[in-house]
Amino acid sequence: MTLWLVVLLPISGAVVLAVAGGRLTRRLHGVIGAGSIALSFGAVLSMATAGRGEGLRATLGPWLPIAGGDLALAIDRTGMPLALMVTGVAALIAVYSIGYLGTDSGTQRYFATLDLFVAAMLLIVLGANLAVVFAGWELVGLCSYLLIGHWRERPAAAAAAVKAFVVNRAGDAAFLVGLFAILAERRTLALDDLGGLSILTSALLLCGALAKSAQFPLHIWLPDAMEGPTPVSALIHAATMVTAGVVLLLRLGGALAPEVLAAAAGLGAFTALGAALAALAQTDLKRVLAWSTISQLGLMFVGAGIGAVFATLFHLLAHAFFKATLFLGAGSVMHATGNEQDLRRLGALGPRLRWTAPAFAAGALGLAALPPASGFFSKEAIAAAALDRPLLAVAVLATGALSALYAARLFALVFVAPAGSAVIRGAHESPRLMLVPLVALALPALGFGALVAVGGISLGVPATEGAPLALTLGAAGLALAGAGLGLLRYRRGPFELLPAGFGRAALAGFGADRALVRGGSWLVGTIAAALDRGVEATLQWSLDAVGRLILRTGARSQRLESGFVRSYEAYLLAGAVLLLAWWSLGVGTGAAR
Amino acid sequence: MVARGRHRSGTLTTLQIILIPLVAAAACALRVGRFAGIVAVTSGILEAVLVVALAVARGTNGIPTERFPWAGPLTQYAFGADGFGLVLLVLTGVLFAVGAAASAGTPRPRTYYALWCLTQAAVTGVFLAQDLVLFFVFWEAMLIPIALLIWLWGGGDARGAALRFLLATMVGSALLLTGIVSVVVARGTSDLAALVLRPLPDADQTILALFFVGAFAVKLPLFPLHAWLPRAYLAAPTPVAAVLSGVVAKTAVYGLIHLCLPLFPTGMARLAPILVALAAIGTLYGAFVATRQRDTRRIIAFSSLSHLNLIGLGVFSASAATTQGALVASVSHGLVVCALFLLAAFLAERVGGWSLADIGGVAASAPVLSGFFALAISTAIAVPGTSGFAGEFLILAATYARFPGAAVVATLVVVLSAVYGLGLLRRAFHGPPKGPARRDLGARERLLVAPLLVLALLIGVAPRLVSDRVPGASADRAEVTR
């Protein structure tokens, strides 16, 4: 039951906030929101320290009337570290949110949704069958929709929220059909009983994973999702929800067809490289991080696709820490500068933000994968696992170098370069309620990787062989070169590194977004218009025509009676005629045999 | 002793259920004046409570048929309910009670509530009839009070809408009458149980099934027989539209499951491919057209069309598992469409019209209305944890096993429903506030909608409360192994 407590605690927080939140103060919303998540973290931690981990199962009760459709949780090999990360990072971000939202009028909504989100994410991580996983899968999408659109009076936020949900729903439709196929083939959705799935079924599940984890070509919703409050971006669009696709691949593991896993790795490598280039061109603080997230998720897809469970899980956790740090740091920067996000207008904040700057630096070091920050060890693990597939390995290493470059660029433009505008002068450090979680996340962003690498922390998954020395040195060298170039180039301010045309294309995400959104809305709009103006109008017209015909015949005979009675007669007449015709044809009497 | 006493008086159980709305109708027509509304609400609550109490007390999924002969041949008292009917009876009580409460302040209340209770009685009779002649009588009895409610209390082109509704359903009724007479003549009985025991020859089943299906397809309505629906939903007073879509459409679902499938197993199997195809197309069609609407009632109307065709898909693909899904989806759609119509009416009262064109940002001043609306839309677009998901998932999953193509086509509705559902929320509630601050939901309005949404969530978390009333997937498997 402790296992279900993990999920039920945040849910009850959400329910309390939704039902009674109107009568509570803003501060209390935050306390309930963060408190219920912290309690959930405590429950996971107590299980972990008690040594009750892998293999634990708990069924709350029946849900859908199908095999493998119960409300059941189970901890598999990735469950414990993921649950710890989700609840831990979420609790810190919830605390940060109290400070960040300040006097926002929507704290009740915000914290209720945040609590529901954590519960839903835990369903994905811990669900014992695909029905529960899918429930969590869709619910995190709903929460993401609600939180992206938190500032709902902003048209851009409302539009981005809908876009995120609809794109995710496209992936969910494929996921759903995949579930139907599994049910038809295996007659159960229990995760234990999934053997080798067919290529088609595996591909359908992969489509779901691509949308949720913002992989090409379904990545288009994530950059827009930055319209949400920054703590939401840190939690949902960096550390947890967007990793759900990777989690799904890890949890399904060997059940997926090898061809599909290879496709996942290929798409991941392509996305990783492309998104890293796009990140390099962005001029918006949060959009750099969004593209970077897409890129890092691509690396995880490479890892999951080649079956490197340890490396993928390692990078997923390391990324959660350093990217959440970066986002919270970005939030602190925006808080300090009155929501300035334009990199060209920032700069010189290092001396002014004495806590934010080093914390952000820790996150950037992790992202740049400079030894000894977390990202170094986890990226190296993925590169090592990909060594026997040269193309993938090159892509991973190149992405690493680019990541270092744009991470250094980001840090330089925000903290080192000369002030880009007057907003910098008024910058002030954020309140302690924001700084404490920020620093608490910066520490694992720096040290988590090394701790895992030396065996201080076990992920519960057997570690892969150490990387060859040449790879370690090569990766470190690439990261150093990238970071050095970035710092040197950008410390004096914005500077176009990429050729102008290429930079513009990269800034726009190489046009995939526009093409897909325009194509998609054109398709839906055209079909809908054709059906509405063509088919629907014709049907309406035919009904009217039949009606006029009957009414006219009726009107001639009986002027005095109401239209009702006339049509009632017409109908009785029609019935009699039909009946006669029917019997005269001998069909009805045939039934009498 | 108590148990036996209950059993003996149980011969009149079904009569009690039917008499509740009939007596209420009579009471409304008499001189109860301003209490008519209260009588109508009580009638709905009583029906729901009585049926739930019966089911719980007996611990069975149904009411055994109570029958005794009446005046002459082909007339008998034969009422009862299987699990499917039982659940729909409860839904009838709930929605008619909520709808009656939402009708407060209607002009000419006595006539209105009398017709209202008559409709409830007719729907109740349809769900209880175990005899074809009785079924037809109640089926027809639904028409006139509904048409009058639309005509006399409706807005806009009420007369045209009522006439079109009558016309379309009467064509269906003519088909149904023909079919029923043929079956009764062929077998010499109208008792359903007796007819099921002696199915008609395979050769005649297809054409006979068509007559029955025709009537139900118009009432559901199955694509492309839905031309009456948009006008009727638009013109009808909001509570009437709510029960018309929420309950009356379910009489068609019930007719298909209760009459067509058992009477014409071979015929329905032969017709299945085309019916399944139409239902799958209709599911998408309704959703597509809904994405283009800018009037809340039209969005609800076409979204309803989509949901009802999805339920039809479950019925036509005809396995026990899809029947479970169809039942859950029927209840879910009934709850959510009623909630949506009421909420849309509350919104329209505040912004002065049903159009979404000139409104926006209502959430800023009416957060509770916005929240309720969002929850209702979440159910309509089948977010897990709501009843909408359970019904949709069960139908599509079971359909996939038999008609994978149709299931895949219909599954695309999850994308389109998100487009029209979230589009509605965005246009009405999000963005910068336009116009003055809107009054938020009052206590009475919250009390009307909250039970529907709570039930939708309850069934979403525990769908087996509903689905276990009818045999499920295990029955399918038994069939396969046999």
Side-chain angles (χ1 to χ4, degrees):
Chain A
M1 253 356 253
T2 330
L3 193 49
W4 268 102
L5 212 58
V6 173
V7 177
L8 291 177
L9 278 167
I11 287 187
S12 34
V15 171
V16 168
L17 282 169
V19 174
R23 268 164 249 136
L24 305 174
T25 61
R26 281 195 201 108
R27 186 46 70 88
L28 214 48
H29 293 156
V31 170
I32 294 173
S36 59
I37 300 174
L39 285 175
S40 170
F41 173 70
V44 184
L45 199 63
S46 77
M47 282 194 298
T49 48
R52 296 167 65 212
E54 197 174 336
L56 198 62
R57 306 180 61 92
T59 304
L60 189 65
W63 186 38
L64 297 174
I66 51 173
D70 291 338
L71 289 174
L73 297 182
I75 299 185
D76 63 9
R77 55 187 180 163
T78 60
M80 195 45 100
L82 284 173
L84 274 171
M85 182 276 280
V86 168
T87 50
V89 171
L92 287 173
I93 291 178
V95 173
Y96 179 97
S97 303
I98 303 177
Y100 187 83
L101 286 178
T103 54
D104 188 292
S105 61
T107 44
Q108 178 192 4
R109 245 180 327 130
Y110 180 90
F111 284 104
T113 316
L114 204 65
D115 277 3
L116 181 63
F117 170 80
V118 172
M121 189 65 210
L122 287 167
L123 291 183
I124 298 178
V125 169
L126 299 174
N129 55 60
L130 283 172
V132 172
V133 169
F134 186 77
W137 190 269
E138 282 253 292
L139 282 172
V140 293
L142 180 74
C143 296
S144 159
Y145 160 79
L146 292 169
L147 288 168
I148 294 172
H150 176 73
W151 289 311
R152 47 195 179 188
E153 61 284 358
R154 287 190 199 166
V162 174
K163 180 177 175 184
F165 193 83
V166 170
V167 173
N168 269 293
R169 267 275 164 119
D172 292 354
F175 195 159
L176 263 180
V177 176
L179 294 188
F180 304 154
I182 292 175
L183 263 179
E185 282 172 34
R186 301 256 181 277
R187 297 207 161 272
T188 175
L189 290 180
L191 272 164
D192 310 336
D193 305 338
L194 298 179
L197 298 169
S198 69
I199 293 189
L200 182 66
T201 312
S202 310
L204 287 165
L205 297 178
L206 176 63
C207 286
L210 291 177
K212 194 62 89 194
S213 288
Q215 294 297 290
F216 180 84
L218 297 176
H219 63 280
I220 53 176
W221 62 271
L222 188 58
D224 288 15
M226 297 299 122
E227 288 292 336
T230 305
V232 168
S233 312
L235 177 62
I236 299 186
H237 306 118
T240 55
M241 181 186 88
V242 287
T243 64
V246 182
V247 172
L248 182 73
L249 293 188
L250 289 181
R251 296 199 66 192
L252 288 172
L256 294 172
E259 295 86 346
V260 171
L261 281 172
L267 270 174
F270 179 73
T271 311
L273 260 181
L277 283 171
L280 200 50
Q282 300 301 316
T283 53
D284 178 294
L285 170 58
K286 284 181 75 181
R287 281 184 177 246
V288 174
L289 296 177
W291 282 103
S292 156
T293 303
I294 297 174
S295 171
Q296 300 296 314
L297 288 165
L299 294 182
M300 294 175 216
F301 264 63
V302 172
I306 57 180
V309 177
F310 169 80
T312 311
L313 183 64
F314 188 9
H315 192 51
L316 193 163
L317 297 170
H319 174 258
F321 295 130
F322 69 67
K323 192 54 68 63
T325 307
L326 284 170
F327 266 114
L328 294 189
S332 181
V333 167
M334 287 160 60
H335 193 269
T337 58
N339 284 321
E340 186 53 67
Q341 285 176 243
D342 191 332
L343 289 174
R344 292 163 298 193
R345 294 169 56 81
L346 291 168
L349 283 171
R352 289 185 172 78
L353 307 182
R354 299 195 160 275
W355 287 96
T356 305
F360 197 93
L365 282 174
L367 173 58
L370 284 171
S374 289
F376 172 70
F377 299 98
S378 59
K379 259 184 216 171
E380 188 199 21
I382 290 185
L387 265 188
D388 48 345
R389 295 173 184 78
L391 263 179
L392 290 179
V394 168
V396 171
L397 288 174
T399 306
L402 284 171
S403 312
L405 181 58
Y406 67 71
R409 168 181 180 261
L410 186 63
F411 184 80
L413 286 180
V414 175
F415 293 100
V416 184
S421 66
V423 291
I424 307 303
R425 250 175 276 144
H428 53 90
E429 187 58 289
S430 301
R432 210 165 292 163
L433 217 44
M434 288 165 66
L435 292 180
V436 172
L438 176 59
V439 173
L441 273 168
L443 294 178
L446 265 185
F448 170 74
L451 277 175
V452 173
V454 301
I457 297 178
S458 159
L459 298 187
V461 179
T464 32
E465 293 290 306
L469 188 64
L471 179 72
T472 312
L473 290 177
L478 277 172
L480 268 174
L485 181 66
L487 272 179
L488 284 175
R489 272 311 193 182
Y490 290 98
R491 89 196 131 95
R492 299 203 188 288
F495 167 82
E496 210 51 72
L497 189 70
L498 304 164
F502 188 80
R504 269 198 303 278
L507 183 61
F510 303 107
D513 186 353
R514 264 173 67 153
L516 272 170
V517 171
R518 291 229 176 133
S521 20
W522 177 84
L523 189 69
V524 171
T526 313
I527 297 179
L531 294 180
D532 194 11
R533 292 208 207 109
V535 182
E536 189 62 27
T538 314
L539 291 173
Q540 296 289 338
W541 179 85
S542 350
L543 178 66
D544 290 0
V546 176
R548 267 195 301 275
L549 195 72
I550 292 183
L551 283 183
R552 208 172 297 153
T553 1
R556 221 168 282 151
S557 54
Q558 307 269 340
R559 280 226 166 261
L560 289 172
E561 281 171 345
S562 73
F564 275 130
V565 182
R566 280 201 305 266
S567 34
Y568 202 80
E569 278 172 357
Y571 131 78
L572 279 180
L573 192 74
V577 169
L578 264 173
L579 207 57
L580 280 176
W582 166 239
W583 277 335
S584 64
L585 283 171
V587 196
T589 41
R593 272 191 304 263
Chain B
M1 276 311 282
V2 178
R4 201 200 287 165
R6 187 181 289 147
H7 184 71
R8 203 177 294 155
S9 67
T11 44
L12 290 176
T13 306
T14 51
L15 191 60
Q16 291 166 16
I17 300 175
I18 296 182
L19 277 180
I20 293 171
L22 277 180
V23 169
C28 289
L30 293 175
R31 298 196 164 276
V32 290
R34 59 205 169 88
F35 296 113
I38 297 171
V39 170
V41 173
T42 314
S43 149
I45 294 177
L46 266 183
E47 176 170 350
V49 169
L50 180 63
V51 173
V52 170
L54 270 175
V56 171
R58 298 210 178 150
T60 57
N61 290 333
I63 306 167
T65 306
E66 301 160 348
R67 54 163 66 82
F68 49 83
W70 233 330
L74 289 182
T75 48
Q76 60 165 348
Y77 179 101
F79 290 103
D82 55 6
F84 210 98
L86 204 69
V87 173
L88 291 183
L89 282 171
V90 179
L91 181 71
T92 307
V94 172
L95 291 201
F96 271 89
V98 172
S103 306
T106 183
R108 286 162 289 161
R110 277 169 51 195
T111 332
Y112 179 91
Y113 284 114
L115 287 170
W116 181 269
C117 292
L118 273 183
T119 313
Q120 188 193 340
V123 171
T124 305
V126 167
F127 289 144
L128 282 171
Q130 299 298 325
D131 178 288
L132 288 185
V133 174
L134 284 175
F135 183 91
F136 186 74
V137 169
F138 284 106
W139 179 264
E140 288 305 284
M142 286 190 299
L143 288 190
I144 300 298
I146 293 177
L148 283 175
L149 283 170
I150 296 178
W151 190 342
L152 301 178
W153 280 268
D157 180 22
R159 181 171 176 276
L163 278 179
R164 281 178 186 84
F165 168 71
L166 263 188
L167 176 71
T169 38
M170 279 175 176
V171 171
S173 298
L175 294 172
L176 183 61
L177 180 63
T178 315
I180 286 181
V181 170
S182 306
V183 170
V184 172
V185 167
R187 282 287 175 261
T189 174
S190 58
D191 187 272
L192 200 56
L195 285 169
V196 171
L197 286 179
R198 286 179 63 205
L200 293 149
D202 283 358
D204 296 328
Q205 281 197 12
T206 313
I207 185 98
L208 278 169
L210 261 180
F211 279 98
F212 280 74
V213 168
F216 300 138
V218 170
K219 188 69 138 256
L220 185 62
L222 179 71
F223 174 84
L225 305 174
H226 63 269
W228 60 267
L229 177 141
R231 282 169 192 267
Y233 282 20
L234 240 67
T238 308
V240 176
V243 293
L244 184 58
S245 180
V247 189
V248 176
K250 306 308 173 336
T251 60
V253 178
Y254 180 74
L256 288 167
I257 290 200
H258 194 62
L259 302 185
C260 290
L261 294 178
L263 287 180
F264 318 113
T266 322
M268 288 302 284
R270 274 196 214 122
L271 291 174
I274 179 118
L275 292 175
V276 161
L278 283 178
I281 294 170
T283 307
L284 273 198
Y285 176 87
F288 262 120
V289 177
T291 62
R292 267 178 64 82
Q293 308 305 319
R294 295 295 177 265
D295 175 304
T296 43
R297 283 172 305 180
R298 286 181 71 84
I299 296 175
I300 300 172
F302 283 101
S303 140
S304 248
L305 178 67
S306 172
H307 285 120
L308 290 167
N309 274 266
L310 184 73
I311 297 171
L313 183 68
V315 175
F316 296 135
S317 54
S319 64
T322 52
T323 309
Q324 278 190 329
L327 180 60
V328 178
S330 292
V331 174
S332 172
H333 172 257
L335 295 171
V336 76
V337 82
C338 186
L340 277 175
F341 266 120
L342 295 183
L343 289 168
F346 299 155
L347 177 65
E349 277 169 25
R350 284 158 173 78
V351 300
W354 302 88
S355 168
L356 291 173
D358 307 316
I359 62 172
V362 175
S365 48
V368 177
L369 175 62
S370 163
F372 275 36
F373 227 115
L375 187 52
I377 292 277
S378 304
T379 312
I381 69 175
V383 171
T386 67
S387 53
F389 174 73
E392 193 169 297
F393 185 90
L394 292 174
I395 288 177
L396 290 172
T399 302
Y400 184 89
R402 292 193 158 195
F403 300 97
V408 170
V409 168
T411 303
L412 292 177
V413 81
V414 301
V415 182
L416 293 171
S417 64
V419 173
Y420 69 69
L422 303 187
L424 190 161
L425 290 180
R426 183 160 72 92
R427 290 195 178 84
F429 293 102
H430 303 154
K434 290 186 196 167
R438 318 290 184 183
R439 196 166 37 87
D440 207 348
L441 287 191
R444 188 186 79 90
E445 293 164 319
R446 292 184 201 195
L447 206 61
L448 278 176
V449 180
L452 301 171
L453 296 178
V454 168
L455 276 176
L457 284 179
L458 176 70
I459 295 171
V461 177
R464 298 184 79 152
L465 286 177
V466 171
S467 68
D468 282 356
R469 300 309 121 218
V470 292
S474 49
D476 278 343
R477 219 160 301 149
E479 231 168 76
V480 169
T481 45
R482 218 191 305 143

